[in-house]
Amino acid sequence: MTEYTAGGDPGAAKPAYLIRGVRVVGAAPTDLLLAGGVVAEVGRDLAARGARVVDGDGLVALPGLVDLHTHLREPGREDAETVESGSRAAALGGYTAVCAMANTSPVADTAGVVEQVWRLGREAGLVDVQPIGAVTVGLAGERLAELGAMADSAARVRIFSDDGHCVADPKLMRRALEYVKAFDGVIAQHAEEPRLTEGAQMHEGEVSTRLGLTGWPAVAEEAIIARDVLLAEHVGSRLHVCHLSTAGSVEVLRHAKKRGVRVTAEVTPHHLLLTDERAASYDPVFKVNPPLRTSADVSALREALVEGIIDIVATDHAPHALEDKECEWAYARPGMLGLETALSVLLDVLGERWDLIAERMSRTPARIAGLVEHGRNPAPGVPANLTLVDPAARRTVDPSEQASRSRNTPYAGLTLPGRIVATFLRGEPTVLDGKAVK
Amino acid sequence: MLKHLLSGADLDAATATLILDTAAEMATVAGREVKKLPALRGRTVVNLFYEDSTRTRISFEAAAKRLSADVINFSAKGSSVSKGESLKDTALTLQAMGADAVVIRHPASGAPHRLANWVEGSVLNAGDGTHEHPTQALLDAYTMRARLGRIAGLSVAVVGDVLHSRVARSNVLLLATLGAKVTLVGPPTLIPVDIGAALAPGTEVSYDLDAVLPTSDVVMMLRVQRERMADSYFPSAREYARRYGLDGPRMARLPDHAIVMHPGPMNRGMEIAPEVADSPRSTIVEQVANGVSVRMAVLYLLLGGMH
């Protein structure tokens, strides 16, 4: 990187950046000039005019990634992750916005808690942290939380989810779907029929039989999605399905979309890459909810993502303290890290299909979340939320090198393509030369 | 020889046969006036029991003591475990004490596999959750061979709560390795999905005990916990006994040479009627005696292999 001494315009509040010769969403190389928090100019051989120059040769610029499903653990489990450490992990993964799930302690079921998380995100200043509010008080599935108060709060909550728990009561789910229409909210459902998954430890199938672990049947997910798309259709509301994991769920979704139901769905990187065979080690780093499924499910999820039946990739980044994973499988908490490896996994799964990646990891998730500053391809006047990827780089995942406070990555030792070189949030770098700037 | 014995799948036919042959030699010790061999003198065997299982613990303890090993019994109740110590910390403690082998019984499937990552000594799975119990399968195979002269070619019916049975899984694996044909029998709710593909291709499943009995050389009745009916696996203990319990009239459908096995503890009147349990076909008491010989053989071969 070349440092230029500031030219004219001493009144400019922020340093500007000139990214040279970068392929915007995979197109032919061009320059991007960032100033005043937006992309000021796009074109070949732009004058630096005092901007710091970033060499974009060989790099691809993507709109900053947007994660609709992140667990930041604060408040409550700051030993596993904080808003700041999770934000740093996100920026290093190419994200400029994350939606923080509500299952904190205390639960994000009041305006006070969502505002706290929102404020912590602003203070960290590494990504935009958009809190998700709980659907029900304490995630208990019994009565609605004050959804309107959270929507009206400074955090401007639009996505509501009891993630980790399913809103299993059909009447409560119907009411929630209806109620959030008043402020264009969406219910993000963790689809898991609780009675069918009592004590469940992994995907129910050949491997669970062999390992003697209680099965989590695919039908427990599919039955809830089927019910919910019908409910959403009935009341004319928006539904978002979290971490879809089975081939059968894809078929339910395909059917619903054909009928015009307002439903979107996400898939996690780990469900696109890993299968239930991983459980054979009994290493709980592979324990996650919903569980890793079969290779047939993985194939169906990949096809559905390309086809658009599944709308987005979301990480379900779930940091856990060492003692919650370094134990017996049945006693371990479910979940795995995702923010710092998501793009690499998607490059591995999809190849360099940049527009598809931008659509599934940035533009569509931003649209679902209502984050208007995000998810826009770099172009003049667009907020400068973008990330630069080196697609030629390969890296071997090392848990000890994760910026997350936790180490529970399921990809340890795997060599994956792609490296995030820089990330910009409103024109300011959060990552440069592959390192977090703060 | 193996380092650990975690699963029936760890055993190939040659190793399993070596264990059974060694067990037969160990059995002669039991008939001596001094029931003791010096083979494991100076070696330490820890019995790490996270579940109450007096019969299995005593069997392993007797086996280790007859081989002159020092035996430490570590039960989870009233220990550091009940104070919240993790399995890993317990493992490191046992490691520091110089355990040459750890015999572990644990309610969580896979706990012995985790333990094997954390200790240098051998780990013997003495039953983990609903997963496996390999020494039970070995003692069952030993008992079949002792009674019927062979294992290859036998038709073995394993009857009952296969879903929750670690005994069943280890038996399916080992018996397939040794050439027996296994048929799993029980209500469909208690037969796990894809069991054949999961464990041993060629394993058959039947929901009709009466149809299976006339062609069975061995009937192995599994313990069925009465509380399973609270979870709707079957409607009542009486209906279970009527459809899948082994009573006198049903036993009469067996070929004359067939034997009846049970890993214990039995629910008399539930999966097995008293007249069957106490009949000459029953091998239940022999199984207990054979358990000590088989565990002696396993300890001897695992620990002897370290030299």
Side-chain angles (χ1 to χ4, degrees):
Chain A
M1 184 177 312
T2 314
E3 187 94 39
Y4 283 74
T5 47
D9 194 10
K14 294 177 177 178
Y17 287 82
L18 176 63
I19 304 163
R20 285 257 189 239
V22 72
R23 295 163 57 209
V24 176
V25 196
T30 187
D31 297 351
L32 296 177
L33 183 69
L34 316 184
V38 300
V39 178
E41 285 183 60
V42 179
R44 302 294 299 266
D45 303 320
L46 297 180
R49 295 197 304 252
R52 286 181 71 176
V53 173
V54 176
D55 181 6
D57 185 39
L59 306 184
V60 172
L62 292 174
L65 307 182
V66 176
D67 192 16
L68 213 65
H69 193 145
T70 308
H71 296 275
L72 293 176
R73 301 293 184 228
E74 189 177 3
R77 283 306 298 264
E78 292 83 355
D79 58 326
E81 196 79 287
T82 63
V83 171
E84 185 186 340
S85 66
S87 293
R88 191 172 295 112
L92 286 163
Y95 287 88
T96 53
V98 299
C99 299
M101 271 298 172
N103 62 338
T104 48
S105 178
V107 171
D109 58 2
T110 62
V113 178
V114 293
E115 284 190 349
Q116 180 194 0
V117 173
W118 177 76
R119 183 178 50 73
L120 289 167
R122 298 253 296 191
E123 285 168 13
L126 288 156
V127 290
D128 284 347
V129 174
Q130 174 57 57
I132 291 172
V135 177
T136 67
V137 174
L139 308 175
E142 288 165 2
R143 57 198 175 88
L144 289 182
E146 289 191 344
L147 308 180
M150 290 189 274
D152 293 341
S153 75
R156 297 178 47 77
V157 175
R158 290 296 178 272
I159 304 175
F160 299 89
S161 181
D162 275 2
D163 181 62
H165 302 267
C166 183
V167 182
D169 178 340
K171 188 170 81 178
L172 198 56
M173 185 61 182
R174 176 206 167 136
R175 296 280 188 258
L177 284 165
E178 284 178 310
Y179 190 80
V180 300
K181 282 203 283 190
F183 32 86
D184 195 27
V186 59
I187 304 296
Q189 174 73 295
H190 171 117
E192 175 183 356
E193 212 308 305
R195 290 280 286 155
L196 288 174
T197 56
E198 281 171 12
Q201 296 295 329
M202 68 171 295
H203 172 65
E204 179 177 298
E206 191 183 318
V207 183
S208 68
T209 291
R210 175 154 50 92
L211 299 182
L213 291 170
T214 305
W216 197 128
V219 65
E221 173 174 306
E222 294 151 8
I224 290 292
I225 298 176
R227 180 200 77 178
D228 285 354
V229 295
L230 293 172
L231 282 174
E233 181 176 37
H234 181 62
V235 299
S237 294
R238 283 170 73 200
L239 168 71
H240 178 74
V241 183
C242 295
H243 42 50
L244 192 121
S245 70
T246 78
S249 295
V250 170
E251 289 316 305
V252 172
L253 206 63
R254 185 191 306 279
H255 178 72
K257 287 191 163 185
K258 201 179 285 176
R259 290 166 63 99
V261 178
R262 297 169 71 201
V263 59
T264 53
E266 71 191 33
V267 64
T268 69
H270 47 270
H271 287 113
L272 291 169
L273 191 68
L274 306 175
T275 69
D276 60 345
E277 284 288 350
R278 298 277 172 166
S281 64
Y282 289 103
D283 184 343
V285 79
F286 299 110
K287 180 173 171 176
V288 63
N289 190 16
L292 300 177
R293 305 284 186 185
T294 68
S295 55
D297 293 304
V298 168
S299 301
L301 295 173
R302 289 180 176 193
E303 283 168 27
L305 182 66
V306 171
E307 200 184 334
I309 298 295
I310 295 175
D311 301 85
I312 66 167
V313 173
T315 66
D316 196 5
H317 178 81
H320 285 299
L322 200 59
E323 66 270 21
D324 291 326
K325 283 292 190 182
E326 207 163 55
C327 59
E328 297 86 331
W329 180 281
Y331 306 158
R333 296 176 71 94
M336 37 183 69
L337 300 184
L339 285 169
E340 293 172 75
T341 45
L343 183 65
S344 288
V345 171
L346 266 291
L347 280 170
D348 194 56
V349 167
L350 296 177
E352 294 184 28
R353 299 163 82 169
W354 297 110
D355 193 61
L356 183 64
I357 287 173
E359 187 65 36
R360 300 284 183 262
M361 299 186 79
S362 175
R363 297 193 299 255
T364 308
R367 199 173 66 241
I368 294 169
L371 298 172
V372 293
E373 287 195 355
H374 294 270
R376 298 169 69 181
N377 284 354
V382 165
N385 297 316
L386 55 100
T387 189
L388 308 182
V389 189
D390 177 2
R394 293 184 73 80
R395 62 184 179 132
T396 302
V397 180
D398 179 350
S400 68
E401 288 177 1
Q402 305 290 301
S404 168
R405 292 198 98 169
S406 293
R407 297 287 171 264
N408 55 308
T409 171
Y411 310 111
L414 273 187
T415 301
L416 294 170
R419 173 174 161 267
I420 300 296
V421 174
T423 306
F424 291 88
L425 178 64
R426 280 182 285 281
E428 289 292 319
T430 54
V431 173
L432 274 179
D433 294 329
K435 294 184 178 60
V437 297
K438 60 176 174 177
Chain B
M1 191 57 197
L2 302 166
K3 167 101 190 266
H4 308 294
L5 180 58
L6 304 178
S7 162
D10 294 342
L11 302 168
D12 58 22
T15 308
T17 304
L18 174 65
I19 293 172
L20 300 184
D21 292 346
T22 307
E25 290 176 37
M26 296 296 176
T28 64
V29 176
R32 295 185 197 168
E33 196 169 339
V34 178
K35 297 183 178 59
K36 219 162 168 112
L37 293 174
L40 298 183
R41 183 176 293 151
R43 316 299 291 275
T44 300
V45 175
V46 175
N47 286 326
L48 179 59
F49 274 59
Y50 286 82
E51 275 183 349
D52 291 330
S53 175
T54 309
R55 65 173 56 215
T56 304
R57 187 180 60 69
I58 288 175
S59 181
F60 270 104
E61 186 171 352
K65 284 182 169 168
R66 283 185 193 175
L67 293 169
S68 306
D70 295 320
V71 178
I72 298 172
N73 286 311
F74 190 118
S75 101
K77 277 187 187 146
S79 72
S80 52
V81 173
S82 62
K83 295 172 188 162
E85 185 175 74
S86 73
L87 178 62
K88 185 178 183 185
D89 287 332
T90 302
L92 297 178
T93 302
L94 300 178
Q95 180 65 39
M97 289 176 180
D100 296 294
V102 180
V103 176
I104 178 171
R105 161 66 66 98
H106 200 292
S109 299
H113 300 67
R114 299 291 285 156
L115 183 68
N117 295 324
W118 298 322
V119 296
E120 283 171 24
S122 292
V123 175
L124 274 83
N125 182 358
D128 62 325
T130 54
H131 180 224
E132 286 211 48
H133 193 356
T135 58
Q136 178 72 40
L138 282 163
L139 77 87
D140 289 339
Y142 183 95
T143 304
M144 289 176 212
R145 199 175 74 162
R147 274 281 191 121
L148 300 171
R150 66 194 165 104
I151 294 167
L154 291 180
S155 289
V156 180
V158 178
V159 185
D161 184 0
V162 177
L163 180 63
H164 300 96
S165 175
R166 47 199 176 206
V167 175
R169 280 176 184 72
S170 288
N171 262 295
V172 168
L173 288 164
L174 183 65
L175 289 170
T177 299
L178 295 174
K181 177 177 153 294
V182 177
T183 303
L184 301 169
V185 185
T189 46
L190 292 175
I191 304 290
V193 295
D194 296 336
I195 179 95
L199 297 178
T203 303
E204 294 191 0
V205 170
S206 171
Y207 308 132
D208 183 352
L209 180 56
D210 288 322
V212 170
L213 291 174
T215 55
S216 295
D217 303 301
V218 178
V219 186
M220 184 183 297
M221 304 305 296
L222 301 173
R223 177 179 170 79
V224 176
Q225 293 177 6
R226 286 168 197 275
E227 53 266 34
R228 297 283 177 224
M229 64 189 167
D231 215 2
S232 299
Y233 286 105
F234 48 86
S236 68
R238 199 163 53 185
E239 174 157 326
Y240 181 87
R242 204 156 50 222
R243 292 179 67 87
Y244 296 102
L246 191 59
D247 57 10
R250 237 178 212 139
M251 185 168 66
R253 299 174 69 89
L254 285 166
D256 289 344
H257 66 274
I259 58 172
V260 175
M261 309 182 72
H262 194 297
M266 287 181 281
N267 285 312
R268 286 175 183 254
M270 176 81 172
E271 72 268 5
I272 192 164
E275 74 254 41
V276 177
D278 302 330
S279 79
R281 291 179 186 274
S282 165
T283 63
I284 294 162
V285 178
E286 286 155 69
Q287 285 170 267
V288 174
N290 294 340
V292 177
S293 305
V294 161
R295 286 164 181 139
M296 286 173 77
V298 170
L299 284 168
Y300 174 77
L301 291 168
L302 285 188
L303 293 180
M306 286 165 72
H307 286 303

